Amino acid sequence: MKLKLYLLCALAFAAMQEKANAQTAADYGIQVQASVQISPAKVTLNWRKIPGATQYNLLRKTKAAMVWTTLATTADTFYTDASVVADSAFEYKITNTGGSTAAGGYIYAGLNAPAIHNRGTLVLLVDTLFADSCANEISGLMKDLSGDGWAIVHHNVKRTLADTAVKSMIKKDYDAISDVKAVLIAGHIAVPYSGELAPDGHSPDHVGAWAADVYYADMDYVWTDVSVNNTGASRAQTKNIPGDGKWDHSAIPTYLELQVSRIDVSNMPSFAKSEVAMMKSYLAKAHNYKINNLYISRKAVVDDNFGAFSGEAFAANAWRNFPALITRNNIIAGDFISTLNDSAYQWAYGCGGGSYTSCGGVGNTADFLAKKQKGIFTMMFGSYFGDWDNQNNFLRAPLCCDEPALTSCWAGRPNWFFHHMALGENIGYSAFVTQNNATAIYTPYGFGTGGVHVGLMGDLSLRTDYIKPAGSIAITSAPIDGATVNWTASPEAGVIGYYVYRADSMFGKYNKVSSMIVGTSFKDLIGKDGLYYYMVRPVKLQSTPSGTYYNLGLGVTDSATISFPFPVSIAAAAKDAVTMICFPNPATEIVNVYGNLNSAGNTATISILDISGKVIAENEHKIQQNEFTISENLSTFAAGTYFVQLKMDNKTMATQKIIKK
């Protein structure tokens, strides 16, 4: 399917027309943010009034749902949703009726939304140029990815390998591992080209194949190279003829299965530094950001040199997304280059008439070398540079700076949607949602929706909120005594506890083996003897303009060979039964309650009863997986005999006697 071509040749006229109509790009984005209350549970949305709007339509869905449910229509600029529950999150969509613009706004609002413990498996493809030269930095990247909940499959790949062979490598992993969710490319590994398109409107010199990393994210469609025959483009890379290794598809042919992004600092001689030096710099600043070791102001700058532009309003990508992430009050309209040179902002947007190496009114590639560019997440839009595989490309320039600019995308054709990041999602998920928006779940979707050109530059695992990790970790073990995991506390203010995880390999899947622990020690007594890797992650109840969620810091890890007193076989109870084990028993201060259920997603109540059967303590826990361990504090109890009772949804499942010393 060919994408309709638009022309961008009347920029001055469009700017004059905008002034005449007194419209700005901000009028095309409903700027929504939220406050939440846990008891009684409610979400209150508020948004900026759209000029001339007579009413607003509110819709809601769960994150995974593909359709919206209408909630209400109101003339107000606020709405309270009381049909919510704690420990959850919902997406909201707002559109307007009346007014001179058709706007839209989105928010993913949470009421103590659950922590994301596991993010799936990530296939890490590392250009062989960096395998040895950046070995320490790549190792650090892998530890950071693992510490954020990703299992990792790592391949070193020659940049001369064809894109078909690279995709076969990814597909093999995808077929072999059930939860492969993402592909992160580090380096100039084969760049797929596809289509007969020019979403920037430049015909005929830019009509043809554009760089299309989405090829690596599609696991179930056979791409073809037989039909497109277009040689009118000015660059050889854009020309596309049958059998040349460039694909036919202008639109993504089917729903993508994987997140994908690329850290590519190749062919950027303006920076007068080697690829190796720039890759080292990028990975170092990404690591410092992930451990919350950088001062970043939760602000955004918008440098809009297009305005309303006959309704496309490219900078509405900023005005629509930023309020739910950093609040409306923290967005400024200003000069991109000078603002980011003076201050470290978390978000930045710039648009204007472009070339491969510049953006009108914003700057050029050389400006990123001459001035500090401290914008972590950048969106930019202009002609040509969205087709990013060329020398001194403007879209990739932020990644090459020594200052912490970490991602970049071409946002305007189509529109991008980042609102999930306010509750802990990674930016790769935002790219994934945007790339798969051909069904128009999110509107206005913008010209170019579903195009193969939609891509993300930088590390897809990056999030908005990070907390400082725990300090050193140490594991001690004696024969038939399990593992004792000790760690030093995180220096982060507001940490409410820690989770402990266990894996069979250093970069494998880490399963949670503890409930939230307030202290800095955990005893693991159940398992099959062998070598294990343990991870500890701090947790903080994070407040954002979209509500609250449990935010996990990166994990710290250590390994040891463990001999367990309780073999895993005792947890493999009858199919229809619930297993419960309390340990240690006798206990001094802490008793751990191990449970193995038939199904996850239940509410477990742990009750402590005295010898007469009177309930003297009771705590409710949300169970995220079949096998769990919950720690209960007995330090205030008198020595004696007690009973621990496990209830699932108010039904007693198991009871065990314990001794408090």
Side-chain angles (χ1 to χ4, degrees):
M1 181 181 70
K2 294 183 181 179
L3 297 178
K4 181 181 177 182
L5 300 182
Y6 274 57
L7 293 177
L8 295 177
C9 58
L11 306 186
F13 173 77
M16 290 187 292
Q17 185 182 52
E18 177 202 353
K19 292 180 180 179
N21 294 333
Q23 293 178 357
T24 67
D27 295 332
Y28 290 81
I30 294 180
Q31 300 173 34
V32 57
Q33 51 199 65
S35 59
V36 299
Q37 178 178 296
I38 301 301
S39 182
K42 62 181 181 180
V43 173
T44 299
L45 308 176
N46 68 87
W47 57 92
R48 174 182 175 269
K49 180 177 176 59
I50 296 297
T54 55
Q55 62 183 21
Y56 300 90
N57 310 303
L58 287 92
L59 302 92
R60 191 184 79 177
K61 74 178 187 70
T62 61
K63 181 181 175 185
M66 301 298 286
V67 295
W68 296 92
T69 299
T70 299
L71 275 182
T73 299
T74 178
D76 297 321
T77 55
F78 60 88
Y79 177 79
T80 297
D81 182 9
S83 60
V84 294
V85 294
D87 303 314
S88 66
F90 297 91
E91 279 191 79
Y92 295 88
K93 174 180 180 178
I94 306 175
T95 61
N96 63 298
T97 302
S100 56
T101 63
Y106 295 89
I107 192 168
Y108 184 43
L111 301 86
N112 293 2
I116 302 175
H117 295 282
N118 297 107
R119 296 180 181 271
T121 297
L122 179 146
V123 179
L124 176 63
L125 305 180
V126 177
D127 188 329
T128 52
L129 174 66
F130 307 116
D132 293 327
S133 62
C134 298
N136 290 337
E137 290 78 11
I138 295 298
S139 175
L141 170 64
M142 293 177 66
K143 290 177 182 178
D144 287 350
L145 291 168
S146 176
D148 206 18
W150 295 96
I152 304 168
V153 178
H154 171 211
H155 301 285
N156 292 328
V157 182
K158 293 181 179 179
R159 59 175 60 183
T160 55
L161 195 67
D163 61 358
T164 50
V166 175
K167 185 169 182 176
S168 293
M169 187 182 300
I170 298 167
K171 185 66 162 57
K172 184 178 180 180
D173 292 335
Y174 179 81
D175 290 340
I177 304 170
S178 62
D179 66 343
V180 173
K181 302 294 184 185
V183 177
L184 175 58
I185 303 167
H188 195 64
I189 292 167
V191 179
Y193 278 83
S194 187
E196 186 180 16
L197 71 161
D200 61 358
H202 287 275
S203 175
D205 73 300
H206 204 195
V207 177
W210 281 39
D213 274 347
V214 293
Y215 170 74
Y216 292 135
D218 186 356
M219 293 290 98
D220 60 6
Y221 192 89
V222 179
W223 289 46
T224 62
D225 177 19
V226 296
S227 61
V228 174
N229 191 355
N230 191 317
T231 59
S234 58
R235 285 203 317 140
Q237 293 94 325
T238 313
K239 301 178 192 295
N240 193 355
I241 61 175
D244 63 351
K246 299 172 188 173
W247 306 105
D248 295 324
H249 311 281
S250 296
I252 297 169
T254 185
Y255 192 87
L256 301 178
E257 286 75 32
L258 303 179
Q259 303 174 27
V260 62
S261 77
R262 179 186 293 260
I263 308 167
D264 192 335
V265 293
S266 66
N267 199 18
M268 301 292 282
S270 283
F271 287 87
K273 295 172 65 176
S274 69
E275 279 189 66
V276 169
M278 287 190 286
M279 181 62 77
K280 283 177 176 285
S281 174
Y282 179 90
L283 294 176
K285 62 188 180 182
H287 170 71
N288 281 324
Y289 179 72
K290 291 177 182 180
I291 62 172
N292 199 18
N293 201 31
L294 295 175
Y295 173 75
I296 300 294
S297 179
R298 298 300 175 92
K299 293 182 179 180
V301 60
V302 182
D303 189 353
D304 181 9
N305 296 280
F306 276 137
F309 203 79
S310 301
E312 288 198 78
F314 307 119
N317 280 273
W319 300 108
R320 184 184 302 112
N321 281 291
F322 292 166
L325 298 165
I326 57 171
T327 78
R328 293 188 293 272
N329 293 336
N330 284 333
I331 309 171
I332 67 165
D335 180 72
F336 189 99
I337 297 295
S338 62
T339 300
L340 296 178
N341 182 62
D342 295 337
S343 303
Y345 281 17
Q346 191 171 44
W347 289 89
Y349 185 92
C351 64
S355 71
Y356 288 112
T357 60
S358 68
C359 182
V362 176
N364 56 47
T365 296
D367 288 326
F368 288 95
L369 174 63
K371 303 280 184 72
K372 297 178 180 179
Q373 295 301 294
K374 300 184 287 289
I376 295 296
F377 304 109
T378 61
M379 291 185 279
M380 298 188 289
F381 182 77
S383 297
Y384 295 101
F385 61 76
D387 185 14
W388 51 264
D389 182 27
N390 41 73
Q391 189 174 82
N392 290 325
N393 176 262
F394 185 73
L395 189 71
R396 292 188 292 121
L399 276 60
C400 302
C401 299
D402 288 332
E403 296 298 325
L406 296 178
T407 72
S408 184
C409 65
W410 198 65
R413 288 184 174 177
N415 296 324
W416 280 62
F417 302 91
F418 295 94
H419 53 283
H420 301 95
M421 292 182 70
L423 297 185
E425 269 295 1
N426 59 299
I427 195 168
Y429 183 82
S430 298
F432 177 78
V433 165
T434 299
Q435 289 160 346
N436 280 319
N437 196 37
T439 54
I441 291 177
Y442 303 104
T443 58
Y445 45 81
F447 173 71
T449 291
V452 295
H453 65 288
V454 183
L456 176 65
M457 301 292 104
D459 179 354
L460 63 79
S461 75
L462 289 159
R463 303 187 279 115
T464 53
D465 304 308
Y466 285 96
I467 61 178
K468 295 182 181 299
S472 59
I473 177 176
I475 301 170
T476 57
S477 179
I480 320 178
D481 191 45
T484 300
V485 185
N486 293 289
W487 61 92
T488 55
S490 163
E492 182 79 24
V495 167
I496 59 175
Y498 302 86
Y499 287 101
V500 180
Y501 309 79
R502 188 177 74 195
D504 296 330
S505 61
M506 185 174 184
F507 297 114
K509 180 179 180 181
Y510 282 80
N511 293 306
K512 185 161 64 73
V513 293
S514 77
S515 59
M516 189 178 72
I517 297 169
V518 176
T520 57
S521 182
F522 174 73
K523 187 83 169 179
D524 188 21
L525 297 174
I526 300 174
K528 181 179 179 180
D529 293 355
L531 174 65
Y532 289 99
Y533 293 79
Y534 285 87
M535 178 182 292
V536 175
R537 301 182 68 182
V539 61
K540 176 179 181 179
L541 185 60
Q542 191 85 42
S543 295
T544 79
S546 297
T548 55
Y549 74 101
Y550 290 101
N551 181 22
L552 294 168
L554 297 190
V556 293
T557 60
D558 193 14
S559 64
T561 299
I562 310 299
S563 172
F564 292 99
F566 299 109
V568 72
S569 59
I570 67 171
K575 189 173 182 180
D576 297 326
V578 172
T579 298
M580 184 182 79
I581 300 169
C582 297
F583 61 90
N585 190 10
T588 51
E589 294 186 353
I590 299 294
V591 62
N592 298 297
V593 182
Y594 167 86
N596 193 17
L597 313 176
N598 298 321
S599 60
N602 297 299
T603 299
T605 302
I606 304 295
S607 303
I608 310 295
L609 292 72
D610 65 15
I611 195 68
S612 70
K614 179 183 177 181
V615 176
I616 57 175
E618 193 168 76
N619 293 302
E620 192 174 90
H621 306 270
K622 187 72 174 177
I623 304 303
Q624 301 293 338
Q625 55 193 39
N626 293 26
E627 191 175 349
F628 64 90
T629 303
I630 295 171
S631 300
E632 296 290 346
N633 193 333
L634 305 179
S635 60
T636 60
F637 293 11
T641 300
Y642 297 88
F643 294 93
V644 176
Q645 192 173 78
L646 170 65
K647 292 182 180 180
M648 302 300 301
D649 299 325
N650 295 319
K651 180 180 178 182
T652 300
M653 309 302 293
T655 303
Q656 183 177 335
K657 182 172 72 174
I658 64 169
I659 304 298
K660 165 65 165 65
K661 293 192 293 186

